[in-house]
């Protein structure tokens, strides 16, 4: 793949054979951002898991201490008094059957769906539409709940979901270049700690194979796992 001049110059600042302490790696990720906008900073974990095994298909959500720097549109599907509760908590859209019908017709002007358990029967019919987009609510990520107000507030505050791809990689945004290395490290530590807590007991050998960070259009930088919690 042919790279632009800015990327090539930025990549010269990174030693591809080196594994950097977390703070240094995040500082480099900010310095090597080549975009004119406030780029996102992503982390990628390569894990020693087999997502085809149910006990190793880890999934959950984390509220990042400094948020993600992104504003997410939240849709809450619920009935009765829960609708007012969701609206007062800051949900962008609230409804029940009419909203489900709207989604069926191709409406997707939202980033996250929160639903009360009693609505999952109707919402489950949209599994083929919502599943591939990663939008189906799930109790493991706190998006199927009766406490819709808390769910909305956490998402608005920077709650992010994680789940592995087919080969056991987990990737997510941990903030913006403008956050600076210190705030990005706090967010990275929150993700690292959460993943360590859900380490499957059936894994043989090491759990984390490697970790890397990068800005949206910048080069990847390897991170020393042990330095994240320091």
């Amino acid at each position: 793949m042919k790279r632009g001049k800015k990327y090539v110059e930025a990549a010269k600042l990174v030693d591809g054979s080196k594994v950097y302490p977390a703070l240094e790696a995040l500082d480099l990720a900010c310095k090597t951002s080549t975009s004119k906008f406030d780029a996102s900073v992503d982390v990628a974990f390569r894990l020693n898991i087999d997502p085809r095994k149910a006990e190793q298909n880890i999934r959950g959500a984390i509220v990042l201490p400094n948020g993600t720097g992104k504003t997410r549109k939240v849709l809450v599907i619920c009935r009765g008094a829960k609708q007012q509760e969701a609206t007062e908590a800051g949900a962008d859209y609230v409804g029940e059957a009419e909203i489900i019908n709207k989604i069926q017709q191709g409406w997707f002007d939202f980033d996250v769906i929160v639903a009360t358990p009693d609505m999952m029967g109707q919402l489950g019919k949209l599994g083929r539409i919502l599943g591939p987009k990663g939008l189906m609510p799930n109790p493991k990520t706190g998006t199927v709940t009766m406490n819709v107000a808390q769910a909305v507030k956490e998402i608005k505050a920077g709650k992010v979901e994680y789940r592995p791809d087919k080969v056991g990689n987990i990737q997510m945004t941990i903030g913006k270049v403008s956050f600076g290395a210190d705030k990005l490290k706090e967010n990275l530590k929150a993700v690292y700690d959460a993943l360590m807590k859900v380490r499957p007991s059936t894994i043989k050998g090491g759990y984390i194979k490697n970790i890397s960070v990068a800005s949206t259009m910048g080069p990847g930088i390897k991170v020393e796992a042990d330095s994240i919690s320091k």
Side-chain angles (χ1 to χ4, degrees):
M1 182 188 294
K2 191 175 181 181
R3 300 287 192 177
K5 187 184 289 185
K6 287 183 179 180
Y7 180 93
V8 172
E9 289 301 311
K12 289 178 182 178
L13 299 174
V14 180
D15 182 348
S17 64
K18 182 178 177 180
V19 180
Y20 291 85
L23 202 60
E24 189 178 343
L26 291 164
D27 187 50
L28 258 180
C30 295
K31 287 178 179 175
T32 54
S33 173
T34 60
S35 60
K36 293 180 180 178
F37 55 88
D38 187 11
S40 295
V41 175
D42 295 338
V43 62
F45 288 83
R46 188 174 170 220
L47 304 177
N48 179 28
I49 60 173
D50 183 353
R52 293 172 300 178
K53 297 177 180 177
E55 73 279 5
Q56 293 188 20
N57 191 10
I58 57 177
R59 184 174 182 180
I62 314 146
V63 178
L64 298 179
N66 300 300
T68 62
K70 296 179 179 179
T71 302
R72 304 175 82 195
K73 290 184 180 179
V74 183
L75 163 62
V76 179
I77 298 177
C78 57
R79 293 190 179 108
K82 288 293 173 183
Q83 294 194 355
Q84 185 175 349
E85 185 181 316
T87 300
E88 290 175 353
D92 298 276
Y93 306 104
V94 180
E96 47 181 298
E98 76 285 358
I99 288 275
I100 293 173
N101 291 335
K102 199 173 175 182
I103 294 170
Q104 245 174 339
Q105 291 163 21
W107 176 74
F108 292 102
D109 187 28
F110 52 86
D111 301 302
V112 186
I113 301 178
V114 174
T116 49
D118 59 315
M119 294 302 298
M120 287 305 293
Q122 293 184 50
L123 196 56
K125 298 172 185 177
L126 303 185
R128 290 184 180 179
I129 299 172
L130 298 175
K133 294 179 181 290
L135 292 170
M136 180 60 79
N138 189 301
K140 289 184 179 179
T141 60
T143 46
V144 177
T145 177
M146 288 303 291
N147 195 344
V148 294
Q150 181 181 341
V152 171
K153 288 173 183 175
E154 286 182 346
I155 293 165
K156 290 290 186 179
K159 187 176 187 178
V160 291
E161 296 180 13
Y162 63 84
R163 63 186 301 181
D165 61 17
K166 292 179 180 178
V167 292
N169 298 320
I170 287 179
Q171 185 170 334
M172 67 179 73
T173 297
I174 54 170
K176 297 281 189 177
V177 166
S178 61
F179 282 22
D182 289 327
K183 286 187 176 181
L184 287 169
K185 190 190 173 190
E186 288 175 5
N187 282 355
L188 175 58
K189 183 180 183 300
V191 176
Y192 176 80
D193 289 347
L195 291 179
M196 292 304 290
K197 284 179 183 176
V198 296
R199 172 182 171 143
S201 59
T202 53
I203 287 176
K204 294 179 180 179
Y207 175 40
I208 295 177
K209 291 183 176 179
N210 59 55
I211 306 167
S212 63
V213 293
S215 63
T216 303
M217 298 171 69
I221 303 155
K222 295 174 186 174
V223 181
E224 184 183 290
D226 292 344
S227 69
I228 294 174
S229 294
K230 292 178 182 176

